[in-house]
Amino acid sequence: MAAQPFIFADRDGTLIEDPGFVHQIENFVPISGTVEGLRALQDAGFGLVIVTNQSGIGREIFSAADYHSFQHHLETEFAKAGVNIARSYHCPHTPEDGCLCRKPEAALIERACEDFDIDLAASWVIGDRPADMQLASHIGCSAVYVLTGQGAKRRAELPSGIPIAENLREASALILADRARNNS
């Protein structure tokens, strides 16, 4: 079987509203356009993976069990809407820990590549922080920056040339248009 392109999506601020250290199920609020965008990418043959920094665990704001419970809820709700998240990968460390799994480092993507046959050159990172865009550069795939979450506030930190979308629905349209151009 041939390698598959994947979407590596940030979670907080990209897929769901981010009030800060989100971990309680009652705070699960998908950002408008997220489900439709993910479904369009999935229907076009992309695998869907979540890659997320969760320093709230390392800061002891919430537990690993809290994270897993919230993540299970998110994946279940997305599945009900027809979106299959293949797997979620998270970094529980604080920025001060200097780990290799905290974005923009690539260990989470390396784990995904061990678990799936991924065509990195045809894959994309979608996120609302410059670290997400740096991750894409580190692993050799494309990226789309979304203006949800921290996106609008941190837009000036982006290097030039990175596509920018209002939300995940618009990001998916950009990705699919890019694929159509490259396949024609």
Side-chain angles (χ1 to χ4, degrees):
M1 189 167 174
Q4 179 182 13
F6 268 71
I7 299 297
F8 303 108
D10 174 56
R11 190 186 84 174
D12 303 343
T14 300
L15 302 179
I16 60 171
E17 297 291 343
D18 183 9
F21 300 107
V22 64
H23 64 282
Q24 296 173 316
I25 291 171
E26 58 267 21
N27 292 329
F28 171 74
V29 180
I31 293 172
S32 178
T34 295
V35 168
E36 298 86 353
L38 291 174
R39 200 175 317 122
L41 291 164
Q42 175 182 278
D43 291 349
F46 285 93
L48 305 175
V49 165
I50 296 173
V51 287
T52 180
N53 289 340
Q54 293 294 318
S55 68
I57 297 169
R59 298 173 202 264
E60 298 181 356
I61 295 170
F62 56 92
S63 69
D66 293 332
Y67 164 79
H68 289 293
S69 176
F70 184 90
Q71 198 62 27
H72 175 74
H73 178 77
L74 177 150
E75 292 177 22
T76 300
E77 291 302 306
F78 279 12
K80 288 178 187 175
V83 173
N84 177 37
I85 303 298
R87 188 138 323 138
S88 294
Y89 300 89
H90 74 286
C91 170
H93 306 107
T94 68
E96 299 76 31
D97 290 335
C99 67
L100 296 176
C101 61
R102 185 171 175 80
K103 295 181 295 178
E105 300 302 325
L108 297 178
I109 304 302
E110 291 166 0
R111 278 191 226 150
C113 289
E114 291 171 6
D115 294 338
F116 302 97
D117 189 9
I118 297 175
D119 180 351
L120 283 177
S123 295
W124 292 74
V125 173
I126 303 174
D128 69 322
R129 295 175 187 253
D132 297 308
M133 304 303 99
Q134 293 166 348
L135 172 64
S137 177
H138 288 166
I139 62 172
C141 67
S142 299
V144 177
Y145 188 79
V146 290
L147 296 176
T148 53
Q150 293 288 314
K153 288 185 234 174
R154 302 196 57 190
R155 183 179 188 170
E157 299 173 40
L158 285 182
S160 62
I162 294 177
I164 297 172
E166 286 295 322
N167 58 26
L168 205 129
R169 180 188 306 126
E170 189 176 300
S172 70
L174 289 172
I175 291 167
L176 296 175
D178 182 80
R179 177 192 253 186
R181 272 191 307 278
N182 291 329
N183 288 339
S184 59

